[in-house]
Amino acid sequence: MGWARKILRVNLTEGTCTPEPLNMQWADEYLGSRGLASKYLVSEIDPKVDPLSPENKMIMATGPLTGTMASTGGRYTVVTKGPLTGAIACSNSGGFFGAEMKFAGWDMIIFEGKSPKPVYLFVENDRAELRDASGLWGKSCWETEETIKHQHQDPQIRVSSIGRAGENQVLFACVVNDLHRAAGRSGVGAVMGSKNLKAVALRGTQGVGGIKDFKGFMAATTAAKKVLADNAVTGQGLPKYGTQVLMNVINEIGSLPTRNHKDVQFEDAAKISAEAMHEKRASDGKSQLVTNAACFGCTIACGRISEIDKGHFTVVNKPEYWGASGGLEYEAAWALGAANGVGDLEALQYANLLCNEDGMDPISFGATIGAVMELYEMGVLTKEQIGIDAPFGSAEALARLTEMTARGEGFGVEIGQGSKRLCEKYGHPELSMTVKGQEFPAYDARGIQGMGLTYATSNRGACHLRSYTVASEVLGIPVKTDPLVTEGKPELVKAFQDATAVFDSAGICVFTSFAWTLADVQPQVQAACDGDWSMDKLNLVGERIWNMERQFNTAAGFTRKDDDLPPRLKTEPAQTGPAKGLVSGIDKMIPEYYQVRGWTPEGVPTEETVARLGL
Amino acid sequence: MLKSLHIDPAKCTGCLQCEMACSYEHHGVFNPSKSRIKVFNFEAEGRKVPYTCTQCAEAWCMNACPVDAIRLDAGTGAKVVHEDICVGCKVCTIACPFGTINYEQDSGKVQKCDLCGDNPACASACPTGAITYIDANWTGLDKMRQWAAKANTPAAAA
């Protein structure tokens, strides 16, 4: 049946943990994880609620394929109203925590209210209880996980927690599980912090049974794994180079946002690329990359496990950072590197380690540093204000500002508010490279036009994971389209958005979509889940989820004008590379996109669309 | 000809497909906590190591069992726990130097790798070839071949 059919409701104000049956009608309409948890959220909170108030809720949710032998079937999502954006937030994470939740017998956990004191939730199969976390408050994610395992004398517990960034309500704080996997974006960690919830610790020994058609499921998952293994990206590129395989590719096509999007190519891209991570360092003769690693159930294994150069200035007297740990992934390497003009691979890994240690989204953090450095170069911010000289390219500034932001020190408190609030405060809102308050990821909207539309219309603010048209526009998956034109992009973006909602809601990783289409996912869902899960139904579910999220944002106060890009991308043409002379054609694409979506010219789903989707 | 499970930790990514396959084969659920093969993650070293019973010829568990519940499967060489005989005394778990036979609370018996009747599910599920099921007399063959390749001898003597 895929689902455990049981959810846990945790009222932090009252200190109660109550099991409930899963709403199976909603499961049939929204599948699981992102879609199903969002349905619960929009049904239970006022869209205008303050994201950091007790009235907001936070849901950790698995999908029907989470905890099964479906490849990458270990994902969970954190769904809430995001404090960085004020929009619906859904952040997705791998690692092993999601599968453990399912093994303990739960599809999702809904957190509501606010605890009067720091607590953590401990779940052992059917037993769930809130425990005192006063001794954990102030600790990093790494210390928290270690301490909980030690206290329970159980190394097999899986932990998801916030670090000091989440406690301090840094607006781009993550929820970190398994040391270096994160529900990264939109500040879901700040919501957890606002509820005085330090961690969730799980131990599940019940497993996932009751797959509807087990023989069919094994056949479907085995066939789908072969598709991944035979594909050049998922079978070779990602395991060997990780997502970092993209650094040189995206730089060459002139879409690597550099120095707060002033440039679209970075002269030091090769120094911070996957290839550089494989090269032996002059200092110690070792490569930064130690090995690749898989999340639960993943047959791709794109994860990077690296060792920082022990002699690098950032860690020379800090042996706690010398061991192998997660990073660098492409987004982090870009945001901490190219976005700030920093070409020092070891400094990027140091900043990345701190982001993992204390739970910060390296994309939003790095992009905010890009804005700080531009303001510094303009003379708007001074060394005295920041606490350090912060020109573009300064690895020292990057390292120091990461420490300050993670630990809530000095100017780091202002950085922790994200680039929108920071740039507004210092009189230059136009320098914030954000949509709906969330920072851009690592693709420039001038050189990959579809990504401009992706960012502008993403329901959680600027994000590449809501419709990764890079696959089509750059890599030719499933078909090659021209990245420099706007024609056909509204249809392309809609198709990617709807399909991605299904991948996310099934409990699998969106990276499978480098090789899989929905037609590869469908037989796995069909065999696992009760009911009929045809292609038509899955497409409808994806579109339904997208429109439900949109309706929430509309009710929260977002309008047509929020589906836009910063002026830099619309008025300052790319200066080099294949996109030289181009700006984003976002103004042309938006009206077409609304039409393709069945929305009014103001971007609101029409009554007809709402009725067709059963919303 | 007997075969044996052969593990190459350098190829393991830590995905746990083997643990799910094992638990399904023996318990009908995806449940790593019931798996007879475990993957250990030495986080700070970046090493992942799958570990399970090596089917000792003079098996400590088999010799220690007071009720003769652990017996040799002559077809595969596996030392197999016969659940209908096992009384759950756990003496075998003490005798085994490697920790690869363990008590299982739900059944009140012990469990260990039985090679799935000559078709180990873990090896079939492993996506990277870290777990293979090969000729028990030649588990070193691949390693030998790799070293032989490094010998760098000329292609022909003449």
Side-chain angles (χ1 to χ4, degrees):
Chain A
M1 62 193 172
W3 306 277
R5 294 174 179 252
K6 207 170 65 168
I7 67 176
L8 179 63
R9 187 177 294 275
V10 178
N11 186 314
L12 292 160
T13 309
E14 304 293 330
T16 56
C17 301
T18 316
E20 284 177 16
L22 182 69
N23 184 324
M24 290 311 294
Q25 189 192 326
W26 287 356
D28 190 59
E29 291 167 358
Y30 296 92
L31 189 54
S33 199
R34 173 178 160 191
L36 190 52
S38 296
K39 177 63 180 170
Y40 271 89
L41 186 82
V42 305
S43 305
E44 295 190 13
I45 69 165
D46 176 353
K48 295 208 182 293
V49 74
D50 172 357
L52 297 177
S53 71
E55 287 72 37
N56 193 10
K57 299 192 183 187
M58 185 187 93
I59 305 175
M60 288 179 166
T62 65
L65 298 186
T66 307
T68 73
M69 276 181 82
S71 185
T72 78
R75 312 292 302 188
Y76 78 104
T77 49
V78 180
V79 176
T80 186
K81 181 175 175 178
L84 186 66
T85 57
I88 193 164
C90 170
S91 298
N92 190 307
S93 182
F96 299 84
F97 179 86
E100 198 74 17
M101 187 188 299
K102 202 76 169 286
F103 296 148
W106 306 97
D107 290 306
M108 62 172 84
I109 306 173
I110 301 177
F111 295 96
E112 51 193 32
K114 176 184 178 178
S115 171
K117 59 178 177 49
V119 290
Y120 72 99
L121 176 70
F122 178 65
V123 176
E124 190 181 84
N125 294 327
D126 297 335
R127 192 161 64 90
E129 60 191 44
L130 290 167
R131 296 199 175 192
D132 176 44
S134 51
L136 297 171
W137 206 255
K139 286 189 190 292
S140 73
C141 299
W142 296 353
E143 293 168 319
T144 299
E145 177 164 338
E146 190 186 348
T147 306
I148 288 176
K149 286 178 174 176
H150 185 254
Q151 277 175 354
H152 288 267
Q153 296 191 22
D154 186 351
Q156 300 194 72
I157 286 174
R158 304 289 188 184
V159 178
S160 188
S161 69
I162 54 168
R164 286 168 287 190
E167 292 178 10
N168 295 333
Q169 298 179 26
V170 166
L171 292 182
F172 45 79
C174 308
V175 176
V176 174
N177 56 283
D178 304 293
L179 302 179
H180 42 72
R181 309 313 307 184
R185 303 223 67 194
S186 310
V188 295
V191 174
M192 195 158 153
S194 76
K195 298 190 173 306
N196 270 331
L197 178 64
K198 178 65 180 175
V200 179
L202 305 173
R203 182 74 201 284
T205 61
Q206 299 180 5
V208 173
I211 295 292
K212 182 177 72 181
D213 166 16
F214 186 79
K215 210 173 159 192
F217 185 73
M218 290 307 267
T221 53
T222 302
K225 284 172 190 166
K226 186 166 186 316
V227 173
L228 294 176
D230 292 346
N231 181 280
V233 177
T234 51
Q236 296 159 42
L238 284 174
K240 177 156 190 200
Y241 293 115
T243 52
Q244 271 275 62
V245 70
L246 289 160
M247 185 65 75
N248 286 321
V249 174
I250 301 300
N251 191 50
E252 272 166 34
I253 65 157
S255 291
L256 190 69
T258 301
R259 288 175 283 268
N260 204 31
H261 288 248
K262 283 159 73 87
D263 298 304
V264 295
Q265 289 183 311
F266 182 38
E267 62 281 3
D268 284 342
K271 290 187 190 168
I272 61 168
S273 67
E275 291 79 355
M277 289 171 69
H278 275 269
E279 275 170 25
K280 291 200 178 357
R281 294 183 284 239
S283 55
D284 62 0
K286 293 179 182 173
S287 60
Q288 188 184 73
L289 184 74
V290 175
T291 184
N292 67 328
C295 294
F296 182 89
C298 176
T299 57
I300 303 173
C302 75
R304 303 290 92 183
I305 301 295
S306 296
E307 261 178 32
I308 200 164
D309 181 348
K310 297 176 180 64
H312 191 261
F313 79 88
T314 50
V315 294
V316 71
N317 291 315
K318 300 171 188 166
E320 63 270 33
Y321 298 110
W322 290 356
S325 193
L328 286 160
E329 319 289 340
Y330 172 60
E331 287 294 337
W334 164 77
L336 301 167
N340 309 311
V342 177
D344 179 341
L345 186 71
E346 303 301 326
L348 306 192
Q349 175 61 359
Y350 176 66
N352 186 67
L353 289 170
L354 296 195
C355 285
N356 289 338
E357 182 183 29
D358 266 308
M360 296 196 297
D361 169 17
I363 303 179
S364 283
F365 167 72
T368 303
I369 296 299
V372 169
M373 287 181 169
E374 184 163 6
L375 290 166
Y376 172 85
E377 297 215 333
M378 290 164 66
V380 176
L381 286 173
T382 64
K383 178 187 176 183
E384 287 65 39
Q385 283 170 298
I386 301 172
I388 186 170
D389 279 314
F392 281 125
S394 170
E396 291 78 11
L398 172 70
R400 184 69 196 114
L401 293 174
T402 315
E403 293 164 358
M404 289 163 67
T405 310
R407 293 159 199 173
E409 299 165 5
F411 193 71
V413 175
E414 295 195 37
I415 294 171
Q417 295 296 296
S419 79
K420 177 171 179 278
R421 290 162 179 82
L422 188 133
C423 290
E424 279 172 359
K425 177 174 177 184
Y426 292 100
H428 288 276
E430 77 283 1
L431 294 184
S432 169
M433 296 298 124
T434 52
V435 173
K436 298 179 178 71
Q438 178 156 290
E439 289 75 9
F440 289 113
Y443 309 89
D444 196 282
R446 290 163 290 201
I448 310 176
Q449 291 285 331
M451 290 309 283
L453 185 60
T454 290
Y455 298 154
T457 60
S458 161
N459 286 327
R460 66 167 186 176
C463 168
H464 56 298
L465 296 171
R466 284 296 172 272
S467 65
Y468 191 72
T469 61
V470 175
S472 168
E473 294 176 280
V474 180
L475 305 171
I477 302 166
V479 285
K480 183 78 173 77
T481 52
D482 184 349
L484 302 178
V485 305
T486 58
E487 282 74 35
K489 297 301 159 63
E491 292 83 358
L492 186 73
V493 167
K494 176 186 181 291
F496 269 81
Q497 286 172 337
D498 294 349
T500 303
V502 175
F503 279 74
D504 287 346
S505 299
I508 55 175
C509 177
V510 74
F511 287 179
T512 57
S513 68
F514 284 115
W516 291 353
T517 65
L518 262 192
D520 296 291
V521 180
Q522 185 271 335
Q524 303 182 67
V525 174
Q526 172 69 30
C529 299
D530 291 339
D532 170 52
W533 292 90
S534 66
M535 283 294 288
D536 284 348
K537 177 168 169 177
L538 285 176
N539 278 311
L540 193 70
V541 165
E543 191 176 1
R544 182 182 293 134
I545 292 166
W546 190 265
N547 279 270
M548 170 180 65
E549 293 169 344
R550 177 77 179 184
Q551 285 184 312
F552 178 89
N553 287 348
T554 301
F558 288 93
T559 65
R560 159 76 181 87
K561 71 173 172 48
D562 298 302
D563 293 344
D564 204 356
L565 302 178
R568 172 163 284 169
L569 299 177
K570 301 204 293 181
T571 60
E572 297 177 24
Q575 294 179 33
T576 61
K580 187 176 177 180
L582 274 186
V583 295
S584 169
I586 188 65
D587 291 337
K588 183 169 178 295
M589 290 187 280
I590 286 285
E592 289 174 31
Y593 171 82
Y594 286 176
Q595 210 166 7
V596 170
R597 273 274 171 223
W599 294 353
T600 69
E602 284 71 50
V604 179
T606 62
E607 278 179 30
E608 191 190 346
T609 300
V610 170
R612 180 172 60 82
L613 297 173
L615 283 162
Chain B
M1 184 180 72
L2 297 185
K3 287 183 159 187
S4 86
L5 278 174
H6 184 62
I7 290 171
D8 181 353
K11 291 181 179 167
C12 177
T13 64
C15 75
L16 309 190
Q17 285 279 348
C18 55
E19 296 193 11
M20 280 188 285
C22 179
S23 62
Y24 192 82
E25 181 70 25
H26 296 101
H27 297 277
V29 289
F30 299 125
N31 189 354
S33 74
K34 290 201 187 295
S35 173
R36 300 162 184 198
I37 183 166
K38 295 302 288 180
V39 179
F40 294 88
N41 187 350
F42 300 94
E43 195 73 46
E45 301 161 50
R47 292 192 306 127
K48 279 89 55 179
V49 185
Y51 203 86
T52 190
C53 173
T54 56
Q55 315 294 349
C56 309
E58 289 292 328
W60 278 269
C61 61
M62 191 164 69
N63 287 324
C65 181
V67 295
D68 202 17
I70 302 172
R71 298 180 183 180
L72 171 70
D73 176 339
T76 63
K79 313 302 175 294
V80 178
V81 177
H82 290 258
E83 284 203 3
D84 52 337
I85 302 171
C86 174
V87 295
C89 74
K90 313 180 196 68
V91 169
C92 56
T93 69
I94 299 165
C96 174
F98 308 106
T100 53
I101 184 163
N102 284 280
Y103 183 63
E104 215 249 311
Q105 289 179 38
D106 291 346
S107 62
K109 316 282 179 181
V110 294
Q111 65 165 2
K112 67 179 287 299
C113 173
D114 59 4
L115 297 176
C116 299
D118 213 22
N119 185 19
C122 55
S124 305
C126 179
T128 62
I131 306 167
T132 49
Y133 190 55
I134 58 174
D135 185 341
N137 287 349
W138 285 105
T139 53
L141 193 66
D142 202 46
K143 228 179 254 180
M144 286 169 75
R145 183 183 291 111
Q146 286 170 35
W147 282 105
K150 287 181 189 172
N152 201 25
T153 46

